[in-house]
Amino acid sequence: METSDAPDIAIRLLGPLSVRDDEGRELDALLRRPKRVALLAYLAAAFPRGFHRRDTLIGLFWPETNHEQARHALSQAIHVLRNELSEEAILTRGEDVALNDTVLCCDVTAFEAAIEKSQFESALALYRGDFLSGCFVSHAPEFERWLEDERARLTQAAAEAAWALARLHLHRGELVEAERTAQRALVLASTDESEIRRFIEALSENGDRAAAIRFFDRFRERLQTEYDLEPDPKTQHVVEQIRARRTPSDPAAPPSRHVSSTTELHIVEPPLVGRHQLHDRVFSLIDGGMHSGPHCVFVVGSTGMGKTRILDECGQRIASGGGVTVVARPLASDHDAPFSTLRMLLRGGLTAVPGAMATEPRALGTLACFDAVLADRAPPIEVSNSTDVASALVSLLREVGSEQPIAVTVDDANLADGPTIETLGAATTLLREVPFFLLLAADPTDKGAPTALTRVRSRVGRDFHGVTARLDPLELDDMRQIVEYMAPWCSSVEDLDRLSRRIQYEAAGSPFLATTLLRHLESAPTIKEDLLTWPARDSTYESPLPISVPDLVRVSVVARVGGLGEETINVLRASSMGSLALDPQLITALSKVSDSVLEASLDELERLGFIRYNGRRYAFTAPVIKETVSAEYLTHGQRQRLRRCAASFLATRDDLESRVLRVELLARSDPGKDSFAEAMAVAQDALSAAADRTARRALAAAERAGGVDNAKRMALVAEARSRLGSRE
């Protein structure tokens, strides 16, 4: 049937019922006939859209009526609808009936189309309330069942759209809009606690803990009022952790974003800004993979580009969904023999998560070769090849994945050993249907990265589901969001623009450098003025500042150290003698502080961002902090004395990391024949253990200790380096 040029008729089924003609007039006569409105709604919204059999419509609306009478009632209803709407509004084709969507438009169709296109704001504008709100059709139980299911489906779709839009606002740093949209999602689906946990954590991580707790309190009140229930223990645990992170000066309000006094500094991360499409790809993969798998997220970027921040966010989302994450953060100082990173994961809690001990005994025995604690539960079985290790790891991860989603995270994976990376890649391929996430971050500029890492990266999206996220420097608009958040003292638009451009240029788009500089500016009024006035109005931003970025970072560290107590500074001095990973026994031996003072100092240093804790050990947040403390807070004589004391203490240990650290210290404090010989011995042992990074460190120490003008010693170093190069 060809249609005429009849005007569109708008049918609104979401919220208060409405049927309007092209002039906006309400068709009240039709609305007073519930069964005919219900028939119109079914033709407009039922899936699949298009033609429906007359027998189907009769069974829905006139199930208890004589068949002939029911057919007559249906024909009469179609006749009335055509009279009220348009002759061409209802199409018939023999026994089939359909709505003519060239004549009528329906908000349900537009709502679903907007969601399909990820136009969540438009979709929520169309969702004005429950589907067919207030509609009741007597003696039509099948229709009532369909209506109930359809109403629930559309409500859930609206809730998911609201959560998606709330997450988008969070990514943009629009916290007020994010909370408002999430409140709407809460009204629509107040029992979806995985989304609620994820949003509460995201609010907290974006610097608004008060809003996170306020949101939880409203959720709990709604849950108690409507269902007489308490929130899930997982949700309560998340909020307890957020409350515990509050500082004494911040008992009830949103956390300070800046230095609140000359003696106490509050480190708050800025919102996760910029890279919206990249974030959506990564977080959509995480959110969509909580009940399937496996999946891999491979984050690539140079130092300071935010790799760790994205991995942490992924871990928080997995935890909010009821999953567990085991993290390994290898350092350049770590022993890099085969499976050293796997050992780190096992000792970091992989065998302690629910379901792990259900792993079959042979697999546990294979893994017990790498974990002495596990050896107490299963006799170690000698490993003949990496395939055995991969098979054992798959067996363990299957058991864990049957209990909850499981993620294995390796940050700075370029510092990991090749066999572990190879094994994790193989496990990801074999773990079909298991909700497993492999989360990797690596610096592509590291020439010493294992080749296995390149192979795993090439398989992402090909051999297993996943995304590769490359973190390029932030653009100016993204940097402006960070500046606006962290520099509330920059009040005028002009100054904000100038500061954003200056920080963008000086930090070269690095989020780490930008946030470090901005934190320091809170207590450095002179440098504030320089950044707001430099360059001169007729100069370009390429004009260098009077002080370099590295110097600014060091000044920032010095300023923050200046607010610490003497005992904590002594702990920092002692820590700077070790590697990036802190050694509590070595620190105690050098600083002469008690265990209680050491614990309090580590807590304070972690709170202020000097160090971080990954569940197993403390480590300096960045090498520049360790280097600055050693250079600025120790005289030359103090450094030499501490180096000798540390070397003497480490002589009592025989592990490879302690030995290489000892020869590095001796090469600086007491270079010569003896320290050269000891460094070469460590290098030979590292080469035998396939610990290539450790071998490089030992050879560098040998070169320093032996003296570059000693040809015989340098020849020995060169020979060892050639052996190392032949294996790469």
Side-chain angles (χ1 to χ4, degrees), residues 182-198:
Q183 287 291 352
R184 184 171 182 187
L186 187 60
V187 171
L188 291 166
S190 59
T191 58
D192 188 357
E193 293 204 40
S194 62
E195 286 284 6
I196 289 166
R197 285 193 295 274
R198 189 176 300 127

Side-chain angles (χ1 to χ4, degrees), residues 352-603:
V353 297
M357 287 303 102
T359 306
E360 57 98 8
R362 182 169 183 81
L364 287 178
T366 300
L367 297 175
C369 295
F370 310 108
D371 185 5
V373 174
L374 191 58
D376 294 336
R377 304 183 183 182
I381 298 174
E382 185 176 351
V383 177
S384 58
N385 54 61
S386 59
T387 304
D388 292 341
V389 182
S391 177
L393 183 61
V394 166
S395 179
L396 183 147
L397 292 172
R398 282 192 190 281
E399 295 297 335
V400 172
S402 68
E403 298 280 341
Q404 67 275 298
I406 169 72
V408 168
T409 297
V410 183
D411 198 356
D412 286 330
N414 49 289
L415 301 178
D417 66 282
T420 294
I421 297 298
E422 195 76 54
T423 297
L424 290 172
T428 306
T429 304
L430 296 171
L431 284 168
R432 303 186 186 282
E433 307 304 323
V434 176
F436 170 70
F437 297 92
L438 176 61
L439 310 177
L440 302 172
D443 184 345
T445 64
D446 185 354
K447 302 301 183 183
T451 56
L453 198 61
T454 303
R455 289 195 292 270
V456 169
R457 182 179 175 183
S458 69
R459 298 168 67 188
V460 176
R462 186 188 68 186
D463 295 342
F464 38 77
H465 294 296
V467 296
T468 298
R470 182 177 184 86
L471 301 187
D472 294 318
L474 292 180
E475 299 292 338
L476 179 59
D477 288 345
D478 304 323
M479 191 63 75
R480 194 181 193 280
Q481 292 183 47
I482 292 180
V483 172
E484 189 171 3
Y485 185 83
M486 298 192 67
W489 45 267
C490 193
S491 55
S492 75
V493 174
E494 181 184 7
D495 283 349
L496 186 62
D497 287 341
R498 287 180 63 80
L499 180 59
S500 299
R501 291 195 295 273
R502 185 76 257 179
I503 294 292
Q504 168 72 5
Y505 177 74
E506 294 296 341
S510 165
F512 171 77
L513 279 178
T515 53
T516 300
L517 298 180
L518 287 165
R519 285 180 183 131
H520 175 57
L521 291 179
E522 289 291 348
S523 56
T526 302
I527 300 177
K528 274 186 194 178
E529 294 169 5
D530 286 340
L531 285 173
L532 291 178
T533 58
W534 195 276
R537 297 291 175 180
D538 56 349
S539 302
T540 68
Y541 276 86
E542 285 68 22
S543 303
L545 272 172
I547 184 170
S548 70
V549 170
D551 286 340
L552 273 173
V553 175
R554 288 182 174 86
V555 169
S556 172
V557 173
V558 170
R560 288 156 62 188
V561 172
L564 300 175
E566 188 59 30
E567 288 180 329
T568 303
I569 293 177
N570 281 337
V571 167
L572 259 183
R573 289 177 178 131
S575 301
S576 71
M577 291 296 103
S579 61
L580 285 178
L582 271 60
D583 184 335
Q585 292 180 329
L586 176 61
I587 294 170
T588 300
L590 297 182
S591 65
K592 303 294 191 294
V593 299
S594 65
D595 290 345
S596 60
V597 169
L598 176 61
E599 290 178 4
S601 297
L602 293 178
D603 286 344

Side-chain angles (χ1 to χ4, degrees), residues 23 91 225 248 289 294 454 545 616:
E23 295 181 1
L91 303 176
T225 301
T454 303
L545 272 172
R616 191 174 65 87

